[in-house]
Amino acid sequence: MANKREQILRSAEKIIAQEGIQHLSMQKLADDAKIAAGTIYRYFKDKDQLISELRVNILQSVAAFVFTDARAGNVEQRFKHIWFNFVRLGCDRTPQQLNYQQFYLLPGVNTAEHNAIARETFKPLEDLFTEGIQQHLVLNLQIEYLFSIAFEPAISLGRRIFEGHLHFNQQELQKACDICWHAITYSNHL
Amino acid sequence: MANKREQILRSAEKIIAQEGIQHLSMQKLADDAKIAAGTIYRYFKDKDQLISELRVNILQSVAAFVFTDARAGNVEQRFKHIWFNFVRLGCDRTPQQLNYQQFYLLPGVNTAEHNAIARETFKPLEDLFTEGIQQHLVLNLQIEYLFSIAFEPAISLGRRIFEGHLHFNQQELQKACDICWHAITYSNHL
Amino acid sequence: MANKREQILRSAEKIIAQEGIQHLSMQKLADDAKIAAGTIYRYFKDKDQLISELRVNILQSVAAFVFTDARAGNVEQRFKHIWFNFVRLGCDRTPQQLNYQQFYLLPGVNTAEHNAIARETFKPLEDLFTEGIQQHLVLNLQIEYLFSIAFEPAISLGRRIFEGHLHFNQQELQKACDICWHAITYSNHL
Amino acid sequence: MANKREQILRSAEKIIAQEGIQHLSMQKLADDAKIAAGTIYRYFKDKDQLISELRVNILQSVAAFVFTDARAGNVEQRFKHIWFNFVRLGCDRTPQQLNYQQFYLLPGVNTAEHNAIARETFKPLEDLFTEGIQQHLVLNLQIEYLFSIAFEPAISLGRRIFEGHLHFNQQELQKACDICWHAITYSNHL
DNA sequence: GATGAATGAGCCTTCATTCAT
DNA sequence: AATGAATGAAGGCTCATTCAT
């Protein structure tokens, strides 16, 4: 296979998604990827590096997920699209994909290095806010404030749905989304 | 020592906070607590039970922290007090204390049993929202929505400050707090 | 209690009889004997010595069992009484007593030292054979041959009954007993 | 090495024979077999399975030993051949081999599963007795009685020789063998 | 490149033994 | 004499990593 490296990463994600990171052993990974255990070490220095690469790899697919169909429309429309994507990120993935919760279980996910990559990966979000501010729609706050106030609720709601504490209710979520949008715009400060 | 049990829990918290739960070994824990490995088993049946008790122990200290000085005043005053406590929860912690993020990575944190304890422990929050709803101040939404919209931003901001991406700025945080409060009240829907 | 030593030995036998020697821990022993773990060491140097003493102690009670009601009658009557006691030794004991099988699980049961004690303890058996030989009833063979031919079958049958491969059948056992007696006497060599 | 499995079993037997099963640790076993501790687990799931396989392995080699050169001749000749093999089983063993006594101490030796295997393995013995019964040579007793009366003495004598309480004396043993044979035949009941 | 048998450090846990009280 | 908390060596087992083939 031309892309044995990719295959290993997908097997790793699958195992973590289905059994948890504590059950990811190099042997199980090799079995799932249908290669010998030693072969993994031709592609990854060690387990730490493998997980580190998986982290970045998934971060990018998460970003791709979040920005799905979110390049069109005005700022508000794009915001709301992304907002719902964040919710789905928590509850919608296939059994072979890591969900948000599990992603945060990956070692090293909160290191300075990873955060820099994360910031770069989610640059489009920053741009969206910047655009909103320039259009005098969005409050002129630091991006961290805007993200915390507007998107953290979406992530949190997704997780609660995934954990079963909440059902996915389009109408109620729409309302929550509206609230979050209004919270960071001038519309409610007139 | 009467509180060797407590000492073990604090060492466990410290190791998890500094190195991650994957590096919590009974030997390392014993070394840190300056006791013999076998001694841990006089106080805890096994590693699972130790972590389980740590979970509840931290949950309670988090609750105590969040509700500090938050029993007086009207609904809005109490809300804002708690909101700031959530921020401080994230950024005031010593390197020896688990942060919110790490706490969620503890095994068993999402079991039915734990959730029941968590719900009971944070009952005052529920009561606050209920009171606000009865006074026609707060939007009549499920508690999960209210919490996600109003408090997750506070937690998130605390973490960002802790991680150094943001400075603690009383004025800006006050503004964010106002936004969160308005977001879940009728005041912005007049 | 005046005889705490005896109490400890009885608790040890009980635990071994009910749970097997691999489950005899000093703590469990102390709990059963209702004393502190450290107290055992006032009576026994260490666990090895405790078991060693238990071995001899039980050997003597086994001997007492084997010779029960076997002091009266002629040589044949005494032989047959003892023969049946050997069978019962294998299958008849209370749940708090070690059976033959379990006894042989005690470490050190086959050491030279123990065998000397065993020989001394079972001296009456030797005397019985000697008496039989002097009366020209029993074949003039070394005691080891006589014991092996006449009593090992009884021990073995007792074990088979205990293990459930055989039922206790008085009539059949009587026949086997007769066979063993005849085997070592001149009666079948006329 | 093709038979590393065999090598592990032989080391296990040796350690049990020389030190007792309570001293068989996986580390000691690995050291004796000159392999790493972890390697054992490539061949055996765990210690239980290792001992279980050792049990069957030894059972079969014991059977092979007992039936050596014992397929020819009439019933009496075959019986006596086997009888002497049982004696030699006890006294010919090297210090690296388990004796009968030790074999019976192996955990699981009395499970239903093991007994089925044992019975199957020693089927030729059963057949021998059956043949003798059909020829009206051997008493019509259950096989357990016949075995206990006729062969247990041989095993016991072998052990006594091994332990040094008796010397191997062909003439005396021949006499004992005759006694055992007569004991279970009609010859002494005419 | 690929294999997978072998390694051995490290994990969690038990328990005989000690010793301050 | 008696206690029982504390010890720490040793046990069974796992698994990331190496290396001869």
Side-chain angles (χ1 to χ4, degrees):
Chain A
M1 178 189 298
N3 223 338
K4 211 166 276 198
R5 187 186 190 81
E6 180 66 17
Q7 167 64 17
I8 293 171
L9 288 175
R10 290 288 71 76
S11 285
E13 177 174 13
K14 176 179 159 191
I15 292 169
I16 298 174
Q18 295 180 340
E19 307 182 46
I21 191 163
Q22 67 274 33
H23 291 123
L24 177 71
S25 77
M26 298 306 259
Q27 191 53 60
K28 190 178 277 184
L29 175 53
D31 291 347
D32 190 273
K34 292 190 172 56
I35 55 173
T39 305
I40 299 171
Y41 291 82
R42 299 206 71 77
Y43 297 91
F44 302 94
K45 186 176 140 285
D46 56 22
K47 196 180 185 184
D48 280 355
Q49 203 214 57
L50 171 84
I51 289 177
S52 177
E53 295 213 14
L54 180 63
R55 215 192 319 119
V56 175
N57 179 287
I58 291 177
L59 186 70
Q60 285 162 353
S61 84
V62 162
F65 184 94
V66 165
F67 296 126
T68 302
D69 302 325
R71 314 271 171 184
N74 61 30
V75 173
E76 179 175 351
Q77 287 167 329
R78 275 179 282 152
F79 170 91
K80 293 188 171 175
H81 213 107
I82 291 171
W83 195 93
F84 268 95
N85 283 344
F86 267 116
V87 174
R88 288 200 196 88
L89 186 64
C91 54
D92 254 21
R93 320 220 76 192
T94 75
Q96 307 200 342
Q97 292 178 301
L98 281 184
N99 60 47
Y100 189 77
Q101 228 9 225
Q102 293 168 319
F103 176 70
Y104 266 94
L105 285 165
L106 297 181
V109 94
N110 267 323
T111 58
E113 187 203 352
H114 177 84
N115 280 322
I117 296 172
R119 177 141 202 166
E120 181 58 29
T121 309
F122 284 97
K123 187 75 168 17
L125 262 188
E126 241 174 294
D127 296 341
L128 179 70
F129 284 132
T130 305
E131 195 180 335
I133 292 170
Q134 284 169 348
Q135 294 178 13
H136 301 290
L137 274 170
V138 173
L139 299 175
N140 190 7
L141 296 173
Q142 289 180 64
I143 179 108
E144 284 82 3
Y145 281 93
L146 293 174
F147 188 90
S148 293
I149 296 170
F151 285 126
E152 287 286 352
I155 293 168
S156 164
L157 287 168
R159 189 175 65 227
R160 284 165 206 271
I161 292 167
F162 178 79
E163 285 167 3
H165 305 141
L166 216 53
H167 289 107
F168 189 96
N169 180 316
Q170 179 68 36
Q171 205 180 337
E172 287 177 349
L173 286 169
Q174 190 62 58
K175 198 168 176 180
C177 180
D178 289 344
I179 290 173
C180 286
W181 170 249
H182 279 292
I184 59 161
T185 60
Y186 286 103
S187 54
N188 67 336
H189 298 266
L190 298 179
Chain B
M1 178 187 299
N3 40 8
K4 198 163 285 194
R5 190 187 187 81
E6 184 64 20
Q7 176 188 342
I8 293 170
L9 287 175
R10 291 290 71 78
S11 283
E13 178 174 12
K14 175 179 159 191
I15 291 168
I16 297 174
Q18 295 180 339
E19 307 184 44
I21 191 157
Q22 69 273 31
H23 291 121
L24 176 72
S25 80
M26 297 309 258
Q27 192 53 61
K28 191 180 278 185
L29 175 52
D31 291 348
D32 188 274
K34 293 192 172 57
I35 55 174
T39 304
I40 299 170
Y41 292 83
R42 287 199 63 74
Y43 297 92
F44 303 94
K45 188 176 138 288
D46 56 20
K47 196 181 182 181
D48 280 356
Q49 205 213 57
L50 167 67
I51 289 176
S52 177
E53 295 213 15
L54 180 62
R55 228 169 43 213
V56 176
N57 176 287
I58 291 177
L59 190 69
Q60 286 165 350
S61 81
V62 162
F65 186 95
V66 165
F67 295 127
T68 304
D69 304 325
R71 313 269 171 185
N74 61 29
V75 172
E76 181 174 349
Q77 288 167 328
R78 276 179 283 153
F79 171 91
K80 293 188 172 174
H81 210 107
I82 291 171
W83 195 94
F84 269 96
N85 282 344
F86 267 116
V87 174
R88 287 196 200 91
L89 185 66
C91 58
D92 275 11
R93 316 229 89 186
T94 72
Q96 311 198 339
Q97 292 178 298
L98 280 184
N99 59 46
Y100 187 77
Q101 201 65 203
Q102 293 169 319
F103 176 72
Y104 256 90
L105 303 187
L106 294 183
V109 95
N110 270 321
T111 59
E113 189 203 349
H114 178 83
N115 282 321
I117 296 172
R119 181 137 202 168
E120 181 60 29
T121 309
F122 284 96
K123 187 80 169 7
L125 259 189
E126 234 174 304
D127 296 342
L128 179 71
F129 282 133
T130 306
E131 196 181 333
I133 292 170
Q134 284 169 346
Q135 295 178 10
H136 300 291
L137 275 170
V138 172
L139 299 175
N140 191 8
L141 297 172
Q142 290 180 64
I143 179 122
E144 285 83 2
Y145 282 92
L146 294 174
F147 188 91
S148 292
I149 296 170
F151 286 125
E152 288 285 352
I155 294 167
S156 165
L157 288 168
R159 187 176 69 235
R160 285 166 205 271
I161 292 167
F162 179 79
E163 285 167 3
H165 305 138
L166 216 54
H167 289 107
F168 188 97
N169 179 316
Q170 179 68 35
Q171 203 180 337
E172 287 177 350
L173 286 170
Q174 189 62 57
K175 198 167 177 180
C177 178
D178 290 343
I179 290 173
C180 286
W181 169 249
H182 281 290
I184 59 161
T185 59
Y186 285 103
S187 56
N188 68 334
H189 296 264
L190 298 178
Chain C
M1 177 187 299
N3 221 338
K4 210 165 274 196
R5 187 188 190 80
E6 180 66 17
Q7 166 64 18
I8 292 171
L9 288 175
R10 291 288 71 76
S11 285
E13 179 175 12
K14 176 179 159 191
I15 291 169
I16 297 174
Q18 295 180 342
E19 307 181 46
I21 190 164
Q22 68 274 32
H23 291 122
L24 176 72
S25 76
M26 298 306 260
Q27 191 53 60
K28 193 178 277 183
L29 175 53
D31 291 347
D32 189 273
K34 292 189 171 56
I35 55 174
T39 305
I40 299 172
Y41 290 83
R42 299 206 72 76
Y43 295 91
F44 302 94
K45 185 175 141 288
D46 55 22
K47 196 181 184 184
D48 280 356
Q49 204 215 55
L50 171 85
I51 288 177
S52 179
E53 296 212 15
L54 179 64
R55 219 193 314 119
V56 176
N57 178 286
I58 290 177
L59 187 69
Q60 286 162 352
S61 84
V62 162
F65 184 92
V66 165
F67 296 125
T68 303
D69 303 325
R71 312 270 170 184
N74 61 29
V75 172
E76 181 175 350
Q77 287 167 329
R78 275 178 282 152
F79 171 91
K80 292 188 174 176
H81 213 108
I82 291 171
W83 196 92
F84 267 96
N85 282 344
F86 266 116
V87 174
R88 287 199 198 89
L89 187 63
C91 56
D92 254 22
R93 320 220 74 194
T94 73
Q96 306 201 343
Q97 292 178 300
L98 281 185
N99 59 47
Y100 189 78
Q101 247 336 247
Q102 293 169 319
F103 177 69
Y104 266 92
L105 285 165
L106 296 181
V109 95
N110 267 324
T111 59
E113 188 203 351
H114 178 83
N115 280 322
I117 296 172
R119 179 143 201 165
E120 181 58 29
T121 309
F122 283 97
K123 187 76 168 13
L125 262 187
E126 242 174 294
D127 295 342
L128 179 70
F129 283 132
T130 304
E131 196 181 334
I133 292 170
Q134 284 168 348
Q135 294 178 13
H136 299 291
L137 275 171
V138 172
L139 299 175
N140 190 7
L141 297 172
Q142 289 180 65
I143 179 109
E144 284 83 2
Y145 281 93
L146 295 174
F147 189 90
S148 291
I149 296 169
F151 286 126
E152 287 286 352
I155 293 169
S156 165
L157 288 167
R159 189 175 66 226
R160 284 166 207 271
I161 292 168
F162 179 80
E163 287 168 2
H165 305 140
L166 217 52
H167 289 108
F168 189 96
N169 179 316
Q170 180 67 36
Q171 206 181 334
E172 288 177 350
L173 286 169
Q174 189 62 58
K175 198 168 178 179
C177 180
D178 290 343
I179 291 173
C180 286
W181 171 249
H182 280 291
I184 59 162
T185 60
Y186 285 102
S187 55
N188 68 335
H189 297 266
L190 298 178
Chain D
M1 179 186 300
N3 40 7
K4 199 163 282 195
R5 188 187 188 83
E6 184 65 20
Q7 177 188 343
I8 293 170
L9 288 175
R10 291 290 70 77
S11 284
E13 179 175 11
K14 175 180 161 190
I15 291 168
I16 297 174
Q18 295 180 339
E19 308 183 45
I21 190 158
Q22 68 274 30
H23 291 121
L24 176 72
S25 79
M26 298 309 259
Q27 192 52 61
K28 191 180 279 185
L29 175 52
D31 291 347
D32 188 273
K34 294 192 171 56
I35 55 172
T39 304
I40 300 171
Y41 292 86
R42 286 199 64 74
Y43 296 90
F44 304 94
K45 191 177 134 287
D46 54 21
K47 195 181 183 182
D48 279 357
Q49 205 213 56
L50 167 67
I51 290 177
S52 176
E53 296 213 14
L54 180 62
R55 230 169 40 214
V56 176
N57 177 284
I58 291 177
L59 190 69
Q60 286 165 349
S61 81
V62 162
F65 185 95
V66 164
F67 296 126
T68 303
D69 303 325
R71 312 270 170 186
N74 62 30
V75 171
E76 182 176 348
Q77 288 167 328
R78 275 178 282 153
F79 172 91
K80 292 187 174 175
H81 210 108
I82 291 172
W83 196 93
F84 269 95
N85 282 344
F86 267 117
V87 174
R88 287 197 200 90
L89 185 66
C91 58
D92 275 12
R93 318 229 87 186
T94 71
Q96 310 199 340
Q97 291 178 300
L98 279 185
N99 60 47
Y100 186 78
Q101 200 65 204
Q102 293 169 319
F103 175 72
Y104 257 89
L105 303 186
L106 293 183
V109 97
N110 270 319
T111 58
E113 190 202 351
H114 177 83
N115 282 320
I117 296 172
R119 181 139 203 166
E120 181 59 27
T121 308
F122 284 97
K123 187 76 169 8
L125 262 188
E126 237 174 301
D127 295 342
L128 180 70
F129 284 132
T130 305
E131 197 180 333
I133 292 170
Q134 284 169 346
Q135 295 178 12
H136 300 290
L137 275 171
V138 173
L139 300 176
N140 191 7
L141 297 172
Q142 289 180 64
I143 179 120
E144 286 83 1
Y145 282 92
L146 295 174
F147 188 90
S148 291
I149 296 169
F151 287 126
E152 288 285 351
I155 293 168
S156 165
L157 288 167
R159 187 176 70 234
R160 283 165 208 272
I161 293 167
F162 180 78
E163 285 168 2
H165 305 138
L166 217 52
H167 289 108
F168 188 96
N169 179 315
Q170 180 68 34
Q171 206 181 334
E172 288 178 349
L173 286 169
Q174 190 61 58
K175 198 168 178 180
C177 180
D178 290 343
I179 290 173
C180 287
W181 169 250
H182 281 291
I184 60 162
T185 59
Y186 285 102
S187 54
N188 67 335
H189 298 264
L190 297 179

